[in-house]
Amino acid sequence: MQRRRLGVITDGAFNAGLTARLDPRCSTEGLRIGEFVVVEGQENTYFSMISDMQLRAADVTLLADPPRGASLFVMNALTGTSTYATVQVKPMLMMAKGDDFTFLEDLEGPQPVRTIPMHFAVLCEANEADFGAVFGKEEGKNFAIGTPLTMDLPVCLQLERFVERSSGIFGQSGTGKSFLARILLSGIIHTSAAVNLIFDMHNEYAFDVQSEDGTWVRGLRQLFGSRVMVYSLDKEAAARPGRSVDAVLRIGLNQIKSEDILLLSSELDLTSTAGTVVGLLEDRYNDDWLQRLLAMSRTDMESFCEETGSHAAATEALQRKLREVGRQEYIVEHAPADAIKEMIGALEQGKHIVLQFGRHNRLLDYMLVANIVTRLVRNSYRHKVERYEETKEPADRPRPLVITIEEAHKFLNPAVARQTTFGIIAREMRKFSVTLMIIDQRPSGIDSEVLSQLGTRVSGKLTEESDIEAVLTGVGGRSFLRSALESLNTKQEILVMGHAVPMPIQVKSRRYDEAFYRAVTGGKDPSQRDHKKDIADIWG
């Protein structure tokens, strides 16, 4: 397939990138920072990104005294001779050519760049074959996340690689992070690349919600039926017509550990001595420490402090502040049934779980419940992987699990990232088949070590310098990626980079609309439930 010529390479270096002089008829206004282009060398084809543009003049006196009111004829005469434009391009991948200058069939695909082309190699616009060679076709575990900014061709994520490592979705408020998360979650469900555990703080993922433009968009339960199970903390919300949930989750006081409470230090305004008191309580009463603390009378507390050496004022203050936790509707002394174990069992069967918070959508509720559930899920998966390593039986191998959290900087900030369950998962749980998909508008608040472990990053528009630096933590070629990130529009435009794509690319994300619904449901009307399939999913 013929490529449209843009210019020729005139300068460059392996580390710094290449400089291409644009042809006279090629305007800089037809190109964009971050655009996918191709350099045709003598032996290799180089898949590249535009990182910068510059206007030049062969005669500096022309710039000192530019023509005033020049006719179109004069301007055209100067363009390409006395004035011209250059672009900086960064080769990202290369592929060897055959004798007929087509791609060699015996190569696995594009390879890392290990050389650069000679002078006057031709710079071209990428065509459909180039996108197919680099990003693949939408089939199997390849899932289209959007299209290039200047073309109508699918750009695919390799979802098997996406779920292998933790990932991040970033962007300032209003850039559509939640819709982008829905698209990715739908792709994971559609391709069965993993199972999902989604902590739905604002009740956006299970059922239909109204978008900013006033249209109603479908939730995951409405798209995928009984493949998606919905749990809720809110008994009233669970009873709403048309939004029935599978179970109402209750957390027992005996399920709350010291680490869950210490995560809430800022929300509960706990003092520095709270950790010591909690440790003494847990040593003394084991799993019943919180229940015993909340039930302590003044006499009981004095006796406890005398026996353990705990500070009386600190213990009393801790009791007073933790009563805020104990009085929540979803907290009971002992959960009547272990719904969390049921959730883990559903995940093992290939179900996807959405945990809605309903009215209990304060940050304190979200952080407490998400950490408790995730800690128990993590322990279960660790044991399952250890058993699989012993038996080597395929049936014992756990399904890959992706845990989705919003407001990620609260769980993963430098002060607590090393202690929380989420920090442990981000750093080391990949080997146990558990990864995170974190959604945040302030990535600068996330611990740099955690950011460096993210395999794939999908970012919308960011304006804060610290947030841009954070998104690019641990990424090579930061200077040209910064330019690509800063040039995004606030709506629908994203930069995708990392483990799940062969090279970074700017993308116009897919629309979450009726066409998308048909694509991920196999063309079926998602509003029509297949009741026989639902029964088979539940009972086998």
Side-chain angles (χ1 to χ4, degrees):
M1 187 180 297
Q2 189 68 31
R3 301 185 181 96
R4 183 171 76 90
R5 174 182 163 124
L6 302 176
V8 295
I9 302 299
T10 58
D11 194 4
F14 182 84
N15 290 325
L18 307 174
T19 300
R21 176 168 173 162
L22 296 182
D23 290 343
R25 294 188 178 182
C26 181
S27 170
T28 55
E29 295 183 20
L31 303 175
R32 289 194 56 154
I33 298 295
E35 186 171 340
F36 179 43
V37 292
V38 172
V39 177
E40 295 181 346
Q42 295 178 358
E43 299 180 4
N44 301 292
T45 297
Y46 300 83
F47 303 107
S48 312
M49 280 182 64
I50 295 178
S51 59
D52 199 3
M53 303 182 196
Q54 292 180 313
L55 300 178
R56 307 270 186 150
D59 185 356
V60 294
T61 60
L62 183 64
L63 301 182
D65 185 24
R68 299 174 180 82
S71 65
L72 182 61
F73 173 80
V74 172
M75 299 298 291
N76 288 337
L78 293 174
T79 301
T81 54
S82 298
T83 63
Y84 61 97
T86 64
V87 295
Q88 302 295 317
V89 296
K90 178 67 175 176
M92 306 299 296
L93 298 167
M94 57 183 283
M95 183 178 283
K97 292 181 176 180
D99 293 336
D100 59 351
F101 294 94
T102 58
F103 300 140
L104 290 176
E105 297 295 333
D106 58 344
L107 291 179
E108 295 181 356
Q111 305 296 309
V113 174
R114 298 185 179 88
T115 184
I116 59 174
M118 292 294 292
H119 285 92
F120 312 126
V122 178
L123 176 69
C124 299
E125 187 177 67
N127 60 28
E128 184 174 355
D130 298 321
F131 277 94
V134 174
F135 297 101
K137 298 179 180 179
E138 190 175 15
E139 57 187 8
K141 297 295 191 293
N142 273 7
F143 181 74
I145 190 173
T147 60
L149 300 185
T150 57
M151 304 177 72
D152 188 19
L153 298 170
V155 173
C156 295
L157 282 181
Q158 300 170 20
L159 288 183
E160 278 187 336
R161 292 172 64 85
F162 182 81
V163 302
E164 279 179 357
R165 301 181 183 178
S166 293
S167 56
I169 300 176
F170 306 113
Q172 64 188 31
S173 181
T175 53
K177 295 185 296 298
S178 295
F179 283 98
L180 187 57
R182 282 196 199 93
I183 290 171
L184 290 170
L185 292 168
S186 297
I188 293 171
I189 298 172
H190 172 62
T191 62
S192 300
V195 289
N196 294 291
L197 172 57
I198 305 159
F199 293 105
D200 190 0
M201 182 178 184
H202 301 295
N203 310 311
E204 296 177 315
Y205 294 100
F207 301 107
D208 53 349
V209 294
Q210 193 169 22
S211 63
E212 290 182 356
D213 62 4
T215 60
W216 287 86
V217 294
R218 298 177 190 266
L220 299 177
R221 176 63 170 263
Q222 294 160 316
L223 284 179
F224 298 101
S226 58
R227 293 178 66 185
V228 176
M229 298 183 69
V230 183
Y231 286 69
S232 178
L233 290 181
D234 187 347
K235 186 176 181 179
E236 291 183 12
R240 293 175 61 188
R243 297 188 172 225
S244 61
V245 304
D246 295 279
V248 177
L249 182 65
R250 291 290 177 259
I251 303 290
L253 288 174
N254 60 311
Q255 293 178 306
I256 301 177
K257 303 294 184 184
S258 58
E259 60 206 75
D260 304 320
I261 294 300
L262 296 179
L263 177 65
L264 306 175
S265 294
S266 60
E267 277 65 36
L268 293 173
D269 192 26
L270 300 181
T271 63
S272 58
T273 58
T276 303
V277 177
V278 169
L280 292 171
L281 286 162
E282 206 166 31
D283 290 342
R284 182 70 178 271
Y285 302 118
N286 298 315
D287 290 344
D288 294 328
W289 73 272
L290 183 53
Q291 181 182 355
R292 295 293 294 270
L293 172 65
L294 296 179
M296 277 183 182
S297 64
R298 182 174 293 275
T299 303
D300 295 333
M301 189 173 297
E302 290 174 354
S303 176
F304 168 78
C305 293
E306 183 178 344
E307 294 174 5
T308 62
S310 178
H311 191 278
T315 306
E316 184 180 357
L318 180 65
Q319 182 193 56
R320 184 173 63 256
K321 292 174 181 178
L322 291 189
R323 280 176 176 158
E324 174 69 12
V325 173
R327 67 171 62 101
Q328 299 307 309
E329 179 188 58
Y330 57 85
I331 297 292
V332 295
E333 286 192 3
H334 289 277
D338 199 338
I340 298 178
K341 283 188 177 179
E342 294 177 4
M343 292 169 61
I344 295 172
L347 292 170
E348 292 173 356
Q349 296 171 15
K351 302 293 185 181
H352 306 268
I353 304 293
V354 179
L355 176 54
Q356 290 189 325
F357 284 72
R359 292 171 296 135
H360 308 294
N361 59 358
R362 296 178 307 164
L363 194 56
L364 183 146
D365 302 313
Y366 186 68
M367 294 177 67
L368 176 64
V369 174
N371 202 62
I372 292 171
V373 173
T374 302
R375 173 169 48 78
L376 296 174
V377 169
R378 169 208 168 216
N379 292 339
S380 175
Y381 262 73
R382 187 181 69 247
H383 294 320
K384 291 181 185 303
V385 169
E386 289 171 352
R387 183 177 63 190
Y388 169 68
E389 290 173 346
E390 293 174 0
T391 65
K392 306 294 191 298
E393 292 291 335
D396 291 333
R397 184 173 186 176
R399 300 172 186 267
L401 169 64
V402 177
I403 300 176
T404 300
I405 56 168
E406 298 180 284
E407 301 290 343
H409 64 277
K410 289 291 184 179
F411 300 93
L412 298 169
N413 64 71
V416 300
R418 294 181 181 275
Q419 305 167 8
T420 65
T421 301
F422 293 100
I424 295 171
I425 291 175
R427 291 194 305 273
E428 60 185 50
M429 283 300 288
R430 179 172 64 91
K431 59 187 176 184
F432 296 120
S433 299
V434 180
T435 57
L436 300 178
M437 184 162 75
I438 61 179
I439 305 170
D440 209 293
Q441 64 185 19
R442 292 307 304 270
S444 57
I446 299 174
D447 183 56
S448 59
E449 183 182 352
V450 171
L451 286 170
S452 67
Q453 298 299 316
L454 298 182
T456 305
R457 306 170 199 212
V458 182
S459 181
K461 181 77 171 180
L462 290 168
T463 53
E464 288 290 334
E465 181 69 20
S466 58
D467 292 330
I468 295 173
E469 281 293 322
V471 169
L472 299 178
T473 297
V475 177
R478 294 162 63 95
S479 59
F480 78 90
L481 288 176
R482 171 188 292 276
S483 300
L485 192 57
E486 291 173 341
S487 67
L488 296 172
N489 287 330
T490 56
K491 294 293 186 182
Q492 263 196 291
E493 293 187 4
I494 55 176
L495 176 65
V496 186
M497 52 188 165
H499 192 58
V501 285
M503 60 175 283
I505 186 168
Q506 286 182 325
V507 172
K508 181 179 180 182
S509 64
R510 293 177 77 165
R511 294 186 63 84
Y512 192 75
D513 55 13
E514 293 292 338
F516 179 81
Y517 307 154
R518 290 191 295 271
V520 297
T521 57
K524 298 178 181 179
D525 182 355
S527 64
Q528 299 298 318
R529 295 285 297 274
D530 186 342
H531 298 292
K532 291 183 178 179
K533 180 67 165 54
D534 290 348
I535 293 171
D537 285 341
I538 296 172
W539 301 106

